[in-house]
Amino acid sequence: APVFTLNFDCSSLGCDCESSNCLSIRDHPCIAWSGLSKSIPVLLFFPEAAVSKDGNICSIGERYRMAFKIVRTESRLVRGLLTNHGFHEVHPNSNDFNLMWTGSHLKPYILRSLQDFQKVNHFPRSYELTRKDRLYKNIQRMQQTHGFKNFHIVPQTFVLPSEFQEFCNCFAKDKGPWIIKPVASSRGRGIYLVSNPNQISMDENILVSRYINNPLLIDEFKFDVRLYVLVTSYDPLLIYVYEEGLARFATVKYDRTSKNIKNTFMHLTNYSVNKKSSDYVSCDDPEVEDYGNKWSMSAVLRYLKQEGKDTTLLMRQVEDLVIKAVLSAELQIATACKMFVPHKTNCFELYGFDVLIDSNLKPWLLEVNLSPSLACDAPLDLKIKASMIADMFSLVGECRNKRCLYNSVCIRE
C-alpha cells in the first residue's frame, strides 16, 4: 500500500461496525476511498493546514499514528503541513516513519532498508537530471539518437575544461555572449556572462552555454518560470506538472547590447540574486499575482494572451520540454531503482524546472533543481507552494492508477 493509504481497522476506532465503509470515517473530509470496491481509505491533504491547525484535519493522522522525519534540510512548509495533518515528527535517526523528507540523495543502504509503507522524496541517481553537466549530456545523447530537432530544448552547451577546444572553435564562428555556470551550484551562484574565452575561469568543472539574447520581455524586464514537476514512478514513467508556477523577474530593464554584460540584475532572473537589488519590488497581497518581481505563472499567461500570444501552444511546448528532459534520464534512474529500491512505491520526487521563453515564444530549459526551494518569503509563495505540496502528498499516497485524481496535470503515462 502507498504510504498514505491507511490500514483500516474498525476495532481500533472503538466501532462495532465490521464494514470497511465505516460511517465514523467514510465521510471524513481528509479521506478519499480508493480501489475497485472503494474500500481503501486514502489520506487527503489541505493547503490551509500549512498555517493553521484544525482538530478535524488532525484527527486522521493522529488516529493512525502517521510519522515523518526531516533529514539534512529545513522546510517549515513541509513540517507545518504534516504536523497539522496529525503526523508525528520522529528523530532523524529513527526508522519508525511513513515519510522521510530529505534535502539530499539517499545512500543505497538506506534505500534497500525501506519497507513497503515507507516513502522518501528522492529517487536514486536523480543527479542525472539535476546536475547541469549530466542533464546536458543526457539530452545531447537523445539528440544524437532521436534527431537534434526533436530534442532541441536546451541552448548549445559545452562542458569545460574537457570541451574547451570545441568551444573555442564554435566561438570563432559565433562570438556570443555566452553564459557560464558551475555544474553543481544553485541560486545563481557562480553564474556570469562572457564575450571572450579568455574571461572564463576554469578552476572547476563548468558549463558554458550560448546565451539566449532574445528573451521574451514583460514591461522590458527579463523573466523565467519555475515549474513544479512531480515524478511518482520511473517504471512506468509517470510525470505530473503542477497547474501553477512562479515567474521571477530581473530588476533592471533588459538591454541587448554588450555594454551591460556584467549586470547580473539585468541578465539573471534568480530570486536569490535579485532580492539583493535595491530595485526589487515585493507584493504583500496574495491575491495580486501580477505585481512586483514575482508573478504567478497564471498571471503571465493571462498577460501574454491579452497580448495576442498563443498560450495554449506555449504550454504544450513546455509540457513537451518537461517530458523530454525526464525521458533523457529515465533509463539511468529506472535502472538504479531496480538495483536499490525494494518496493516500487517507495520513491517520489519533486523537481523545480526553470524555463526561459524567448521572443519567438519558444521555451528553453535552463536547469532542473533538486529539492526546489519551498521558502515562503512572500504571500504569493505560500499561496502557490502550500497548495502544490498538499496536492503532491495527496498524489503520492493515491496515485497507483493511470489517471490523476487531483489538481495536477498528468502529461505522460
Side-chain angles (χ1 to χ4, degrees), residues 42-287:
V42 178
L43 183 59
L44 301 182
F45 289 77
F46 291 86
E48 53 267 30
V51 293
S52 61
K53 188 171 184 177
D54 181 294
N56 199 30
I57 291 176
C58 260
S59 62
I60 298 299
E62 292 172 346
R63 182 178 292 175
Y64 285 93
R65 299 183 294 279
M66 307 295 279
F68 73 97
K69 66 178 183 177
I70 295 179
V71 181
R72 293 189 298 275
T73 189
E74 176 54 48
S75 178
R76 293 175 60 187
L77 183 59
V78 170
R79 176 177 281 112
L81 196 68
L82 292 173
T83 300
N84 288 344
H85 278 86
F87 280 58
H88 169 64
E89 184 170 4
V90 298
H91 190 274
N93 293 333
S94 172
N95 292 321
D96 185 17
F97 64 89
N98 297 88
L99 172 68
M100 176 180 178
W101 186 269
T102 176
S104 59
H105 291 102
L106 291 144
K107 301 290 186 184
Y109 77 90
I110 295 177
L111 290 169
R112 288 192 177 107
S113 69
L114 292 173
Q115 301 183 61
D116 62 352
F117 63 87
Q118 294 178 315
K119 274 195 184 290
V120 296
N121 67 317
H122 292 296
F123 287 96
R125 291 193 71 174
S126 267
Y127 58 80
E128 295 287 349
L129 262 181
T130 60
R131 268 185 65 107
K132 297 178 183 68
D133 54 346
R134 294 305 309 147
L135 173 66
Y136 178 70
K137 286 300 181 183
N138 286 327
I139 291 175
Q140 187 181 56
R141 187 189 68 254
M142 299 297 274
Q143 289 174 343
Q144 295 167 350
T145 305
H146 300 286
F148 177 80
K149 288 185 178 180
N150 293 324
F151 276 80
H152 188 34
I153 59 175
V154 293
Q156 184 178 19
T157 299
F158 299 91
V159 180
L160 304 189
S162 61
E163 296 177 343
F164 183 72
Q165 191 56 54
E166 292 93 326
F167 166 61
C168 288
N169 294 340
C170 183
F171 181 85
K173 301 174 185 176
D174 182 357
K175 300 194 181 302
W178 296 76
I179 187 166
I180 313 301
K181 301 178 182 181
V183 297
S185 68
S186 60
R187 295 179 293 195
R189 290 173 294 192
I191 299 179
Y192 58 98
L193 273 65
V194 299
S195 54
N196 190 304
N198 296 330
Q199 299 169 324
I200 301 175
S201 171
M202 285 188 284
D203 296 333
E204 58 181 338
N205 289 338
I206 58 171
L207 247 64
V208 53
S209 300
R210 189 184 300 278
Y211 182 67
I212 300 168
N213 64 357
N214 66 325
L216 183 66
L217 305 178
I218 291 182
D219 296 332
E220 301 183 59
F221 290 94
K222 180 181 175 181
F223 68 95
D224 75 351
V225 177
R226 164 64 58 85
L227 297 166
Y228 298 102
V229 175
L230 174 67
V231 178
T232 57
S233 169
Y234 274 92
D235 182 21
L237 182 57
L238 287 165
I239 308 170
Y240 301 86
V241 175
Y242 188 60
E243 61 188 358
E244 187 61 278
L246 286 166
R248 294 88 55 89
F249 286 79
T251 44
V252 174
K253 289 186 177 181
Y254 187 74
D255 180 359
R256 197 171 293 185
T257 63
S258 59
K259 64 180 180 180
N260 293 306
I261 196 172
K262 296 188 182 300
N263 191 332
T264 56
F265 295 140
M266 175 187 294
H267 294 286
L268 302 187
T269 53
N270 308 70
Y271 167 69
S272 299
V273 171
N274 283 282
K275 71 179 181 179
K276 300 171 185 175
S277 169
S278 59
D279 295 316
Y280 187 85
V281 177
S282 59
C283 180
D284 296 327
D285 187 344
E287 300 307 314

